[in-house]
Amino acid sequence: MPLGPLRTRARRLLDGIPLRGPAAAREDAVAGYARMLARGARPDAYTFPPLLKAVARAAGGSGSVAPARAVHAHVVRLGMGRNAHVASSLVAAYAADGDGAAARALVGERGREGETPVVWNALISGHNRCRRFGESCCSFVDMARAGAAPTPVTYVSVLSACGKGTRDVLLGMQVHGRVVGSGVLPDLRVENALVDMYAECADMDSAWKVFHGMQVRSVVSWTSLLSGLARLGQVDEARDLFDSVPERDTVSWTAMIDGYVRAARFREALEMFREMQYSNVSADEFTMVSVITACAQLGALEMGEWVRVYMSRQGIKMDAFVGNALIDMYSKCGSIERALDVFKGMHHRDKFTWTAIILGLAVNGYGEEAIEMFHRMIGVSETPDEVTFIGVLTACTHAGLVDKGREFFLSMIETYNIAPNVVHYGCIIDLLGRTGKITEALETIDQMPMTPNSTIWGTLLAACRVHGNSEIGELVAERLLELDPENSMVYILLSNIYAKCNRWEDVRRLRHAIMEKGIKKEPGCSLIEMNGIIHEFVAGDQSHPMSKEIYSKLESIINNLNSVGYFPDVTEVFVEVAEEEKQKVLYWHSEKLAIAFALLSSEPNTVIRIVKNLRICLDCHNAIKLISRLYGREVVVRDRTRFHHFRHGFCSCKDYW
């Protein structure tokens, strides 16, 4: 065939490659092919495999098969369709682009040649590349039926599909049996794949058994075990193994850091990252996602900012996963402006990107903006999922948009076929409770298709306290105590309800019951970052190296507050002591200690950011509002339930207390 029409088609093919993220760099192979044709050179069997590999990577499993079909047309016109390497490359490209039917049809067209493993390996690995692991496993079964003999490459691919995708340990065991019977062992790649498959499927006994039977082991062998232990929450065992590993690479370190993050041991995750740097091991984008996640949970904005600079210096690419983690980190640190900057700078945004920014706006009190962002998401044809709707419903809650909330809730069910879970119902209960629709909230709980948990009842009880509804409050408290008899917060909220209704005898009765039952309130703990170091304060704690200065500063703060009319609110203090002692208990709350430390240790006008494990109490809420005015500081507190942005004597939560 003349090369002229092929040149035109090649230019169109180049136009069809989406320029987004890593795909932009991978268009070089296609551009080179176009230049080759322009010079009059004729493609051969060695031309198409790398070209098809580039096309598959650029499509990225997006379902965009037009480029692969265009190359396929060139292959057919040049009469190279029967070449085994070209055919296997075509199969891999179609499978990687998500067109399993076309890939399988090509395998079928091979006839007796379909009994050779090359095209089957291409099919299975192609399915893996676009994360269609179930199809990978089915293709392996079809391969066996076709009489094609699996190779080590086949076993590595299908074991990866069993572990990372379907978590099908029974199929993995069957494949293991075929591996043993095939005589391919010992083979380090296959044995590593077996260890990894069992570890991914949480069958650590089998993983260890394969590991101990290996004649040769590599860093991959050790890392698979390490990752498996970490995923099961056995972080200390994983660390012991890590310390005994003869060789560690980036993947090993990342697995350990991620293990700490999964176990909510975020400070240890950051310490592990520092050790990784001291060991001169290079991090990658997977490492950075785990580190950024740890920063997010700790509210460690300074460390998160440093990580971003570190990535730039080290040339670590900011892919969608890293970008999404940064949006989440900035949002959880109360810096929504920087989260928006990251969002705007991302060239490729996926469903998770949109969801992250919607949630970030919502929890930081920007309800209207979050809803607007949701409509923009729909406008670019990105389909929301159940997490996206949690963000949207949270936005409606913060903005007090009851009708909008109901509308989104119905849309989730009817338009997007998403069954609401307990978190969605929690958002609706919170929305109704905040707006004073206590009876409707209770009716909604009664109509839930699942059993309401303590979070649902706790949300309604908090609303009863705000609106002084003692009748429903008592009912809700009773339900809560059935689920969690030792929950001190139930007694505190119910006591506040009684106090608000001037039922002082009931307040005294409740306090006596707490003392009699020996119920202990969970100790308050506040985290604050200063110069990249996380400092932890517990109520009344004096273990901090600057403890003497902190308590002296706190005394000065309280005196200044008293001078502008501050009076401690002791309604949430259940200790049976004199009034003066109750006030002292309040003064020493963990967030007040953290603020005193921040005022001592930071420059004027620096934002004070605190993460607290419990709901901030009434007294601290009132005190921090005054502190923000007296000291001219913005204070951001992320507690168990929401963000509080204190500025100039006001709070973003609009005094919903």
Side-chain angles (χ1 to χ4, degrees), residues 26 37 54 160 247 282 325 327 361 363 417 443 462 501 529 544:
R26 294 176 187 136
L37 294 178
S160 176
E247 180 188 357
S282 299
I327 291 172
L361 287 164
V363 298
N417 296 315
E443 291 170 352
C501 299
E529 182 188 30
H544 194 278

Side-chain angles (χ1 to χ4, degrees), residues 162 167-176 197-198 201:
C162 292
R167 300 285 197 275
D168 191 341
V169 72
L170 294 178
L171 179 59
M173 287 176 174
Q174 288 182 306
V175 175
H176 188 177
M197 181 274 294
Y198 282 121
C201 294

Side-chain angles (χ1 to χ4, degrees), residues 359-630:
L359 273 166
L361 287 164
V363 298
N364 278 280
Y366 295 91
E368 298 278 4
E369 292 82 352
I371 292 169
E372 180 186 339
M373 193 66 76
F374 176 78
H375 290 307
R376 283 180 58 189
M377 177 184 183
I378 302 303
V380 297
S381 301
E382 198 68 70
T383 305
D385 63 12
E386 61 272 15
V387 183
T388 315
F389 276 101
I390 290 171
V392 176
L393 293 172
T394 300
C396 293
T397 298
H398 282 284
L401 302 172
V402 178
D403 291 337
K404 269 284 183 189
R406 292 191 185 110
E407 181 184 315
F408 281 125
F409 191 78
L410 287 174
S411 170
M412 176 180 73
I413 299 167
E414 296 174 359
T415 305
Y416 296 98
N417 296 315
I418 298 172
N421 60 35
V422 72
V423 182
H424 298 116
Y425 277 101
C427 292
I428 290 294
I429 302 306
D430 196 16
L431 172 59
L432 294 171
R434 282 182 182 232
T435 51
K437 301 181 185 300
I438 306 296
T439 302
E440 186 179 346
L442 181 60
E443 291 170 352
T444 303
I445 292 175
D446 290 337
Q447 293 166 8
M448 283 172 58
M450 72 284 293
T451 303
N453 59 21
S454 58
T455 303
I456 293 286
W457 290 116
T459 300
L460 183 54
L461 184 59
C464 290
R465 178 183 59 78
V466 171
H467 298 286
N469 192 322
S470 60
E471 183 181 349
I472 293 180
E474 287 176 323
L475 171 66
V476 173
E478 187 179 318
R479 300 282 180 87
L480 253 174
L481 291 173
E482 287 173 3
L483 293 172
D484 187 3
E486 302 297 313
N487 190 334
S488 61
M489 193 54 61
V490 179
Y491 293 96
I492 292 171
L493 290 173
L494 189 55
S495 175
N496 291 158
I497 293 171
Y498 289 148
K500 198 161 190 173
C501 299
N502 295 317
R503 293 172 56 176
W504 301 110
E505 185 57 40
D506 288 320
V507 172
R508 284 188 287 273
R509 175 181 56 79
L510 209 54
R511 290 188 176 183
H512 179 72
I514 290 174
M515 301 303 167
E516 193 175 64
K517 293 180 180 180
I519 294 171
K520 301 292 184 183
K521 182 178 179 289
E522 183 182 351
C525 171
S526 292
L527 302 177
I528 185 167
E529 182 188 30
M530 197 62 60
N531 300 320
I533 298 172
I534 304 297
H535 297 262
E536 183 176 358
F537 293 93
V538 178
D541 179 37
Q542 299 191 25
S543 62
H544 194 278
M546 291 177 59
S547 187
K548 186 176 179 180
E549 296 94 326
I550 290 168
Y551 278 89
S552 176
K553 181 66 175 178
L554 186 54
E555 186 177 349
S556 171
I557 293 170
I558 297 300
N559 289 335
N560 288 336
L561 292 178
N562 289 337
S563 69
V564 293
Y566 164 72
F567 190 80
D569 186 330
V570 298
T571 55
E572 294 189 32
V573 179
F574 280 79
V575 185
E576 287 294 338
V577 293
E579 195 72 14
E580 185 177 331
E581 288 299 312
K582 287 184 179 180
Q583 293 179 14
K584 190 178 290 186
V585 169
L586 289 172
Y587 296 158
W588 292 351
H589 273 190
S590 62
E591 53 267 60
K592 290 193 182 84
L593 293 171
I595 289 173
F597 170 69
L599 292 174
L600 281 169
S601 308
S602 61
E603 296 294 322
N605 301 320
T606 304
V607 178
I608 299 172
R609 302 176 190 277
I610 297 168
V611 176
K612 185 171 183 189
N613 64 327
L614 303 176
R615 179 184 64 86
I616 186 173
C617 75
L618 289 165
D619 180 73
C620 286
H621 189 267
N622 294 332
I624 297 173
K625 280 198 296 185
L626 288 172
I627 289 170
S628 70
R629 177 162 63 86
L630 285 174

Side-chain angles (χ1 to χ4, degrees), residues 182-194:
S182 69
V184 302
L185 298 179
D187 184 294
L188 182 59
R189 294 169 301 166
V190 176
E191 288 170 308
N192 281 341
L194 282 165

